[in-house]
Amino acid sequence: MTSTILRTDFEKSVAAYWNTHRNDPVNLRLGAVDDLYHHHYGVGPYDPTILDGPAEDREQRIIAELHRLESAQADLLLDHLGPVAPGDLVLDGGSGRGGTSIMANQRFGCEVDGVSISEYQVGFANEQAARRGIADKVRFHFRNMLETRLPGNTRQAIWTNETTMYVDLFDLYAEFARLLRFGGRYVCITGCANDVTGLRSKAVSRINEHYTCDIHPRSQYFKALAANGLVPINVVDLTAATIPYWELRARSEVATGIEESFLTAYREGSFHYLLIAADRI
Ligand code: GPP
Ligand code: MG
């Protein structure tokens, strides 16, 4: 079973990273704020007054603010999903610890399937759904988003929240085109390299190395979408909106060391934080 889900050495190494990455305070401490565990970054300005006030709980205020910005990012993604009805089925491609999936069910009442190649993450996310009493509506599967084995033509919406840098986009969008109903919506938030500045910058290479991922150039997204009948309706450059998150994170005790690479890449323009929404035709 496992061998058909993890098909390549690269996928095995990605799964191993997330299976062993269990004590990540940057994600666990933020998630503990309200039991929504995210594996993506944040958007929007932070409240600078949290840096004032008593020093003894300053760090907890930073954690809560970083978490608020990450949840705001997931809310922004869901804002672009279009109308989703309670009976609709949606897919979270690379569902991590389940945060965005749970938020989608809370907002729309829809049924969510999340897939991840990390068995640990799938177990964690299913526990979260069970604790909330929504396990019948929000289900996480140890499966590969390139080959979900879910029935075709069943999804009103699909999203990937910072997971596309782990896969071939043409393979991914072929699978999503198979799953989406006609007129269904795909939303992607991603970091992508800027074709205009040329090949991959040092800061982008450092991010790849840090996460064992392979950040695609912006152009690749639109080629792969177009090749698979996915027509963009919205493209939002979130680069300026994510910089405050990284500035605040750099000042936190849960900083991981990758913050300066993101800030450099975004500020020098070699990297963008992008939301793309596309319709299946
Ligand atoms: C964040 O996960 C996202 C990724 C690792 C994918 C890479 C994203 C890019 C935009 C390049 P995380 O929340 O587990 O990361 P961290 O532990 O650093 O918060
Ligand atoms: Mg994180």
Side-chain angles (χ1 to χ4, degrees), residues 164-165 167-174 216-217 220-221 224-225 228:
T164 47
M165 56 290 297
V167 296
D168 179 282
L169 295 177
F170 287 83
D171 292 348
L172 182 70
Y173 295 153
H216 304 293
Q220 193 79 356
Y221 282 89
L225 289 168
N228 287 288

Side-chain angles (χ1 to χ4, degrees), residues 26-27 38-41 70 245 249:
V26 68
N27 301 311
H38 297 307
H39 281 282
H40 57 76
Y41 311 124
E70 291 189 359
Y245 166 86
R249 181 167 151 155

Side-chain angles (χ1 to χ4, degrees), residues 130-144:
R131 283 175 55 182
R132 288 171 180 270
I134 54 171
D136 56 329
K137 289 252 184 184
V138 183
R139 306 165 288 255
F140 298 95
H141 313 274
F142 173 47
R143 293 194 199 171
N144 193 318

Side-chain angles (χ1 to χ4, degrees), residues 17-18 21 24 26-27 38-41 70 162-163 165-166 190-191 207 210-211 213 215 245-246 249 256 258 262 266 271 273:
Y17 175 94
W18 293 105
H21 205 71
D24 40 338
V26 68
N27 301 311
H38 297 307
H39 281 282
H40 57 76
Y41 311 124
E70 291 189 359
E162 296 184 19
T163 61
M165 56 290 297
Y166 290 101
T190 190
I207 297 168
H210 182 84
Y211 291 110
C213 67
I215 290 165
Y245 166 86
W246 288 103
R249 181 167 151 155
T256 60
I258 199 60
F262 275 90
Y266 286 139
F271 187 53
Y273 197 48

Side-chain angles (χ1 to χ4, degrees), residues 23-273:
N23 301 314
D24 40 338
V26 68
N27 301 311
L28 293 174
R29 287 192 60 193
L30 271 62
V33 170
D34 62 2
D35 266 351
L36 277 174
Y37 290 85
H38 297 307
H39 281 282
H40 57 76
Y41 311 124
V43 288
Y46 66 82
D47 172 4
T49 64
I50 60 152
L51 299 171
D52 309 330
E56 60 270 19
D57 54 8
R58 181 173 176 272
E59 182 61 20
Q60 193 48 40
R61 289 195 301 278
I62 295 177
I63 297 282
E65 189 65 354
L66 288 170
H67 184 63
R68 185 181 70 77
L69 300 181
E70 291 189 359
S71 290
Q73 187 266 27
D75 264 325
L76 180 71
L77 186 156
L78 298 177
D79 289 344
H80 285 81
L81 275 191
V84 176
D88 284 340
L89 296 173
V90 303
L91 171 69
D92 183 349
S95 43
R97 284 182 167 118
T100 310
S101 289
I102 290 168
M103 287 173 65
N105 168 263
Q106 284 175 338
R107 188 192 291 206
F108 302 115
C110 58
E111 292 195 29
V112 187
D113 288 289
V115 295
S116 168
I117 60 170
S118 162
E119 254 180 310
Y120 162 71
Q121 285 189 332
V122 168
F124 186 103
N126 275 326
E127 255 172 54
Q128 292 301 310
R131 283 175 55 182
R132 288 171 180 270
I134 54 171
D136 56 329
K137 289 252 184 184
V138 183
R139 306 165 288 255
F140 298 95
H141 313 274
F142 173 47
R143 293 194 199 171
N144 193 318
M145 65 177 170
L146 298 177
E147 193 180 5
T148 61
R149 299 197 221 122
L150 295 168
N153 204 23
T154 55
R155 302 287 139 177
Q156 176 57 31
I158 298 180
W159 68 84
T160 50
N161 199 350
E162 296 184 19
T163 61
T164 47
M165 56 290 297
Y166 290 101
V167 296
D168 179 282
L169 295 177
F170 287 83
D171 292 348
L172 182 70
Y173 295 153
E175 175 67 350
F176 288 179
R178 184 184 73 79
L179 293 169
L180 280 168
R181 292 185 201 151
F182 183 83
R185 172 68 54 85
Y186 167 62
V187 179
C188 169
I189 294 186
T190 190
C192 57
N194 185 3
D195 303 84
V196 178
T197 54
L199 293 179
R200 190 171 282 159
S201 69
K202 196 173 267 283
V204 169
S205 296
R206 286 205 186 99
I207 297 168
N208 278 341
E209 172 64 24
H210 182 84
Y211 291 110
T212 321
C213 67
D214 189 5
I215 290 165
H216 304 293
R218 175 161 33 118
S219 57
Q220 193 79 356
Y221 282 89
F222 298 94
K223 288 177 192 164
L225 289 168
N228 287 288
L230 293 162
V231 180
I233 176 77
N234 239 314
V235 179
V236 187
D237 180 3
L238 298 171
T239 307
T242 195
I243 286 177
Y245 166 86
W246 288 103
E247 287 171 339
L248 183 61
R249 181 167 151 155
R251 300 177 68 158
S252 159
E253 284 168 15
V254 298
T256 60
I258 199 60
E259 289 74 16
E260 288 312 319
S261 298
F262 275 90
L263 286 166
T264 300
Y266 286 139
R267 287 178 181 146
E268 76 189 3
S270 65
F271 187 53
H272 296 302
Y273 197 48

